[in-house]
Amino acid sequence: MRAVTVIPGVAGSLRLLDDYPEPATEEGSILVEALAVGICGTDIEIIEGLYGEAPPGIDHLVLGHESLGRVVEDPTGTLQPGDLVAGIVRHPDPLPCPNCAVDEWDMCRNGMFTEHGIKALPGFARQRWRLQPRFAVGLDPELVEVGVLLEPTSVVVKAWDHIDRIGRRAEWQPRTALVTGAGPIGLLAALLASQRGLSVHVLDLVTEGPKPALAGALGATYHSGPLDQLGFEPDVIVECTGAPRVVLESMYRVAPTGIVCLAGVSSGGRTIDLDAGELNRTLVLENNVVFGSVNANRRHWDAAAEALARADHAWLSSLITRRVPLSDYAAAYSPGPQDIKVVLDFTA
Ligand SMILES: [Zn+2]
């Protein structure tokens, strides 16, 4: 069967193999036929040789961690043939650490977790894959066009779950949320904020292309100016750019008792001047919280499937700006300036 692979650590090793072996039954009892794989910055970093780890004993890694497929067979009866399904990306570490021991693998403490298409587990960019029932998330059949957004949605569901948990340290009635960065993660974070009834604001550099209208369709106010000219202090900021200046400004601009969730990964290597004392003074005197958030556990994946089912499917579909047939796979990994989410289409 066909599979998109790289040799981790080797830039330019992206290949479409025709003779990749069928998934071994040890991978799981549920056999799935791939429909689509979403592509994100992590895939690009792996292709550039900067990231990624092959499974033990082999030199290549099948790409793809944002999955959508259709069940072919499930002898356990958890899912039925024809059901839509996505695979949970991260598996708990074998030790396990205290968090993985209670299936909170998104909070793994020893870094020995594995991840499909990223770290020591083959990804979903192959025509067929297998899942264990505990890592298989069923989706509403109406999500066939957009269910591939489940993985990024699970990431923002986790972010909001932790914002809520932190909020419960005191009386917490947030009214305004700012999302910085209108990429897929930012727009999905804004979707969840709107589903919570918050007054939503989205900030991004661009004034052209689909982003302002996509934010507007959620009822969100779109900003493209600097964060310090927002004109108000948001109760919650979900920072999705990873841009150092925006990260810092978020910490300064959040309202008293506010929460800043850092969900964007910075590339690092750039330094900016910072008055650490003033920042500390702001955070302490306003009881503010800044925290990082990555990945998601089963609870978040299930809640993400519900959030997608509740959302406007036409809006979700317009996040997918390009669907690239598998035969043209290389084009899928070259995002254009107007792209939000690019998807590799296994049905074309
Ligand atoms: Zn762990």
Side-chain angles (χ1 to χ4, degrees), residues 92-93 96-97 99-100 108-111 113:
D93 78 77
C97 77
N99 285 321
C100 287
C108 182
R109 292 175 63 175
N110 62 26
F113 58 83

Tab-separated table of all heavy atoms in Angstrom, residues 92-93 96-97 99-100 108-111 113, ligand 1:
chain	number	residue	atom	x	y	z
A	92	PRO	N	0.744	6.553	26.061
A	92	PRO	CA	1.418	6.764	27.336
A	92	PRO	C	2.799	6.107	27.375
A	92	PRO	O	3.053	5.149	26.652
A	92	PRO	CB	0.479	6.109	28.348
A	92	PRO	CG	-0.369	5.177	27.549
A	92	PRO	CD	-0.485	5.770	26.188
A	93	ASP	N	3.661	6.629	28.212
A	93	ASP	CA	4.999	6.058	28.332
A	93	ASP	C	4.911	4.698	29.043
A	93	ASP	O	3.985	4.463	29.815
A	93	ASP	CB	5.921	7.026	29.080
A	93	ASP	CG	5.699	7.002	30.575
A	93	ASP	OD1	6.154	6.055	31.238
A	93	ASP	OD2	5.032	7.928	31.084
A	96	PRO	N	4.696	3.450	33.806
A	96	PRO	CA	4.408	4.799	33.315
A	96	PRO	C	4.636	5.838	34.422
A	96	PRO	O	4.702	5.488	35.598
A	96	PRO	CB	2.929	4.697	32.993
A	96	PRO	CG	2.385	3.728	34.007
A	96	PRO	CD	3.519	2.809	34.388
A	97	CYS	N	4.704	7.099	34.000
A	97	CYS	CA	4.794	8.195	34.963
A	97	CYS	C	3.425	8.364	35.648
A	97	CYS	O	2.433	7.788	35.199
A	97	CYS	CB	5.220	9.484	34.255
A	97	CYS	SG	3.896	10.279	33.318
A	99	ASN	N	1.159	10.625	35.624
A	99	ASN	CA	0.069	11.095	34.758
A	99	ASN	C	-0.334	10.055	33.722
A	99	ASN	O	-1.523	9.823	33.509
A	99	ASN	CB	0.466	12.411	34.076
A	99	ASN	CG	0.404	13.588	35.030
A	99	ASN	OD1	-0.491	13.676	35.863
A	99	ASN	ND2	1.374	14.481	34.934
A	100	CYS	N	0.652	9.425	33.073
A	100	CYS	CA	0.323	8.391	32.087
A	100	CYS	C	-0.388	7.216	32.762
A	100	CYS	O	-1.233	6.565	32.147
A	100	CYS	CB	1.576	7.914	31.360
A	100	CYS	SG	2.221	9.119	30.174
A	108	CYS	N	2.443	13.938	30.316
A	108	CYS	CA	3.554	13.007	30.604
A	108	CYS	C	4.746	13.746	31.221
A	108	CYS	O	5.132	14.814	30.766
A	108	CYS	CB	3.998	12.299	29.324
A	108	CYS	SG	5.314	11.100	29.610
A	109	ARG	N	5.301	13.151	32.268
A	109	ARG	CA	6.356	13.830	33.008
A	109	ARG	C	7.751	13.358	32.650
A	109	ARG	O	8.728	14.000	33.050
A	109	ARG	CB	6.121	13.642	34.511
A	109	ARG	CG	4.870	14.383	34.966
A	109	ARG	CD	4.552	14.107	36.406
A	109	ARG	NE	5.611	14.597	37.287
A	109	ARG	CZ	5.524	14.563	38.616
A	109	ARG	NH1	4.447	14.061	39.195
A	109	ARG	NH2	6.509	15.022	39.356
A	110	ASN	N	7.887	12.225	31.978
A	110	ASN	CA	9.249	11.736	31.713
A	110	ASN	C	9.644	11.808	30.235
A	110	ASN	O	10.778	11.457	29.885
A	110	ASN	CB	9.429	10.310	32.253
A	110	ASN	CG	8.502	9.303	31.585
A	110	ASN	OD1	8.085	9.506	30.441
A	110	ASN	ND2	8.194	8.222	32.285
A	111	GLY	N	8.720	12.250	29.359
A	111	GLY	CA	9.077	12.419	27.943
A	111	GLY	C	9.223	11.115	27.186
A	111	GLY	O	9.614	11.114	26.019
A	113	PHE	N	6.826	9.161	26.271
A	113	PHE	CA	5.626	8.869	25.484
A	113	PHE	C	6.015	8.662	24.019
A	113	PHE	O	7.125	9.038	23.608
A	113	PHE	CB	4.619	10.027	25.597
A	113	PHE	CG	5.183	11.345	25.154
A	113	PHE	CD1	5.217	11.694	23.808
A	113	PHE	CD2	5.717	12.242	26.080
A	113	PHE	CE1	5.756	12.904	23.390
A	113	PHE	CE2	6.255	13.454	25.671
A	113	PHE	CZ	6.278	13.782	24.322
B	1	ZN	ZN	4.292	9.655	31.109
